[in-house]
C-alpha cells in the first residue's frame, strides 16, 4: 500500500532533500507551498512527481484543507525562517511561523487526519544559553533568540498534543546541517560560494563575522533521513540529531580554500563587525546517542567531506556565473 506524506517547507533545503528521499521510498508526496514561492517550486527537480497544495502555516483553514485533501499517513513540518539572525529583525513573523505555525499543523492533523504521524523540526537554538555541553534530550531549554523561543513553544506543543490528544508527534532536534542547497546568507554557503567565485577570479574577499564561532555541522540529506526514521518508531519521541563535533568558521574557510586551490585564506577575509552576533554560543554540540541506539542513525559525512561537497558544487555554479559574465 502506497503511503502519503505531506511536507510543509518543501521548497527549503530540508524539504527538497526529504521529498527526494520519500519519492525514492515509493511515497506519494504532497507539499504545502506559498503562492508567492513559485521560484522555490521551480527549483524542485522532481516537481512533476509531487502534488503541490497552496497554503500557509499562518493560515489555519489552508492547513486543514491541505491535510483533508492529501489525507497523509505522515506529516513533516519543516516550515520555519531558519536564518536565526532574521528572527531578531522580525520576531513576530518568526514566532508566527516557527511557533504558532507548528501548533496549527498539529491541530490540522488532529481535526482532519488524527491517525497521521507528525514530524516536528526542532533546533539546537533551544539550548543556546545552556552551560552544559554536549546537550542531550534531557538538557533544559534556554533559548536566546526569538527563533529559539518559538521552537521551544513548538516542542512544548508537541508534548501537549502527544499527551492530551494522542497525536503521534515526533521531534528532531537538528543541529546545524548544511548542503549546496543552503541559501547564500548562511555562513557555510557564503564561504563555499565565495571561495568558488574567488577561484574564478571575479570576487576578491568574503565578508564574515566571528571567525572563531564554532558549530556542530552535519550534512542535510542525512538529517532528513533521521526525520523519516523518527516517524517509523512505534511511539513518538524527540531525538537530538547532530555530529557531536565542533568546528570553527575559520576551519571551514581554511578547508574550503584548500579544496578550491586558494592559498593564504586569511587574506581573503574582510571581517564585518555587523555580522558578529552579540551572543555567540560556541558550545552547542549535540549528543546523538539516543538516535544511534533507537533509530540506527549516525552521521556519515565528516566535516572535511561536507566542505568539499559544498565547494565543488559551488565551483560549478561560479564557473557558470563567469561564463555568463564574460559571454563565454
Amino acid at each position: 500500500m502506497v503511503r502519503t506524506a505531506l511536507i510543509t517547507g518543501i521548497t527549503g533545503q530540508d524539504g527538497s532533500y526529504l521529498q527526494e528521499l520519500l519519492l525514492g521510498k515509493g511515497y506519494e508526496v504532497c507539499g504545502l507551498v506559498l503562492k508567492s514561492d513559485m521560484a522555490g517550486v521551480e527549483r524542485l527537480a522532481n516537481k512533476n512527481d509531487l502534488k503541490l497544495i497552496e497554503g500557509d502555516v499562518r493560515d489555519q483553514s489552508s492547513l486543514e484543507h491541505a491535510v483533508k485533501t492529501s489525507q497523509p499517513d505522515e506529516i513533516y513540518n519543516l516550515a520555519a525562517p531558519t536564518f536565526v539572525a532574521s528572527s531578531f529583525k522580525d520576531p513576530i513573523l518568526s514566532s508566527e511561523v516557527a511557533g504558532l505555525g507548528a501548533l496549527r499543523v498539529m491541530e490540522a492533523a488532529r481535526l482532519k487526519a488524527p491517525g497521521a504521524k507528525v514530524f516536528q523540526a526542532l533546533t539546537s537554538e533551544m539550548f543556546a544559553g545552556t552551560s552544559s555541553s554536549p546537550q542531550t534530550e534531557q538538557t533544559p531549554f534556554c533559548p536566546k533568540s526569538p527563533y529559539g523561543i518559538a521552537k521551544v513553544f513548538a516542542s512544548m506543543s508537541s508534548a501537549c498534543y502527544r499527551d492530551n490528544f494522542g497525536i503521534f508527534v515526533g521531534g528532531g532536534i537538528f543541529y546545524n546541517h548544511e548542503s549546496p542547497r543552503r541559501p547564500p546568507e548562511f555562513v557555510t554557503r557564503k564561504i563555499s560560494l565565495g571561495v568558488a567565485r574567488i577561484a574564478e577570479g571575479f570576487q576578491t574577499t568574503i565578508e564574515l563575522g566571528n571567525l572563531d564561532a564554532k558549530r556542530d555541522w552535519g550534512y542535510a540529506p542525512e538529517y532528513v533521513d533521521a526525520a523519516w526514521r523518527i516517524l517509523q518508531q512505534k511511539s513518538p519521541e524527540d531525538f537530538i540529531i547532530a555530529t557531536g563535533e565542533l568546528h570553527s568558521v575559520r576551519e571551514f574557510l581554511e578547508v574550503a580554500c584548500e579544496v578550491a586551490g586558494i592559498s593564504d585564506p586569511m587574506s581573503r577575509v574582510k571581517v564585518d563587525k555587523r555580522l558578529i552576533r552579540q551572543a555567540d554560543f560556541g558550545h552547542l554540540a549535540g549528543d546523538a546517542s539516543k538516535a544511534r541506539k533507537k533509530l540506527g542513525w549516525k552521521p556519515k559525512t565528516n566535516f572535511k567531506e561536507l566542505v568539499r561537497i559544498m565547494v565543488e558544487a559551488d565551483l560549478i555554479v561560479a564557473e557558470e556565473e563567469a561564463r555568463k559574465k564574460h559571454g563565454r
Side-chain angles (χ1 to χ4, degrees):
M1 183 176 177
V2 176
R3 286 188 285 178
T4 300
L6 173 64
I7 304 172
T8 72
I10 195 170
T11 61
Q13 171 191 254
D14 293 358
S16 69
Y17 283 119
L18 179 60
Q19 57 91 12
E20 291 174 355
L21 175 74
L22 295 179
L23 286 172
K25 292 181 179 294
Y27 280 68
E28 178 179 299
V29 179
C30 305
L32 188 79
V33 295
L34 292 168
K35 184 177 181 180
S36 60
D37 193 24
M38 290 304 103
V41 172
E42 288 303 311
R43 289 195 299 269
L44 293 172
N46 299 318
K47 59 182 179 291
N48 294 330
D49 298 322
L50 306 170
K51 180 180 180 181
L52 300 178
I53 305 169
E54 191 176 299
D56 190 330
V57 295
R58 294 171 294 178
D59 178 5
Q60 185 66 33
S61 62
S62 72
L63 278 174
E64 290 181 19
H65 169 74
V67 174
K68 182 179 179 180
T69 300
S70 59
Q71 281 299 296
D73 300 289
E74 298 171 4
I75 300 172
Y76 295 85
N77 183 34
L78 308 180
T82 54
F83 190 51
V84 177
S86 66
S87 74
F88 288 98
K89 296 178 181 177
D90 196 340
I92 293 175
L93 175 63
S94 186
S95 300
E96 275 282 352
V97 176
L100 284 172
L103 179 68
R104 292 187 189 103
V105 170
M106 295 171 208
E107 180 65 0
R110 183 181 76 86
L111 294 174
K112 303 299 180 182
K117 292 184 174 183
V118 181
F119 171 81
Q120 176 57 48
L122 301 171
T123 173
S124 60
E125 289 291 327
M126 300 189 302
F127 303 124
T130 186
S131 59
S132 175
S133 186
Q135 297 82 46
T136 71
E137 291 82 1
Q138 283 71 48
T139 301
F141 296 142
C142 190
K144 292 293 183 179
S145 67
Y147 174 68
I149 292 168
K151 285 294 190 175
V152 169
F153 179 85
S155 176
M156 300 305 290
S157 298
S158 299
C160 175
Y161 271 74
R162 282 195 297 259
D163 297 341
N164 294 292
F165 299 117
I167 303 299
F168 187 115
V169 187
I173 305 173
F174 284 1
Y175 282 61
N176 292 63
H177 48 293
E178 315 300 316
S179 77
R181 299 181 189 178
R182 266 295 194 204
E185 61 263 27
F186 285 80
V187 67
T188 51
R189 184 76 197 289
K190 180 184 288 188
I191 292 172
S192 64
L193 186 57
V195 300
R197 287 170 172 168
I198 290 170
E200 283 293 328
F202 62 94
Q203 184 171 322
T204 56
T205 59
I206 307 170
E207 292 186 352
L208 297 173
N210 182 8
L211 298 177
D212 296 318
K214 293 183 178 181
R215 296 289 184 270
D216 182 333
W217 278 308
Y219 186 37
E222 295 170 7
Y223 284 51
V224 300
D225 173 66
W228 176 78
R229 289 171 184 254
I230 288 170
L231 292 198
Q232 310 317 304
Q233 303 304 297
K234 290 184 178 179
S235 58
E237 297 181 67
D238 292 343
F239 293 84
I240 281 179
I241 306 300
T243 71
E245 296 182 5
L246 286 172
H247 295 276
S248 69
V249 173
R250 190 188 307 273
E251 287 178 81
F252 199 104
L253 173 69
E254 290 171 348
V255 176
C257 285
E258 181 181 345
V259 173
I262 298 170
S263 59
D264 193 10
M266 294 312 300
S267 68
R268 306 294 185 172
V269 174
K270 181 178 180 181
V271 175
D272 186 341
K273 293 182 178 179
R274 294 172 299 178
L275 299 176
I276 298 177
R277 289 169 62 175
Q278 290 183 343
D280 210 333
F281 306 95
H283 53 269
L284 288 179
D287 180 349
S289 297
K290 181 181 174 182
R292 282 181 167 88
K293 182 179 179 180
K294 289 196 170 185
L295 303 179
W297 180 90
K298 63 179 181 179
K300 298 176 182 177
T301 304
N302 65 34
F303 175 71
K304 287 189 174 182
E305 180 68 7
L306 169 64
V307 180
R308 183 192 65 77
I309 289 169
M310 293 185 67
V311 173
E312 288 184 350
D314 276 331
L315 284 169
I316 296 172
V317 172
E319 183 180 357
E320 181 61 24
E321 288 178 339
R323 185 179 295 112
K324 290 179 180 177
K325 184 179 179 71
H326 300 295
R328 297 200 297 262

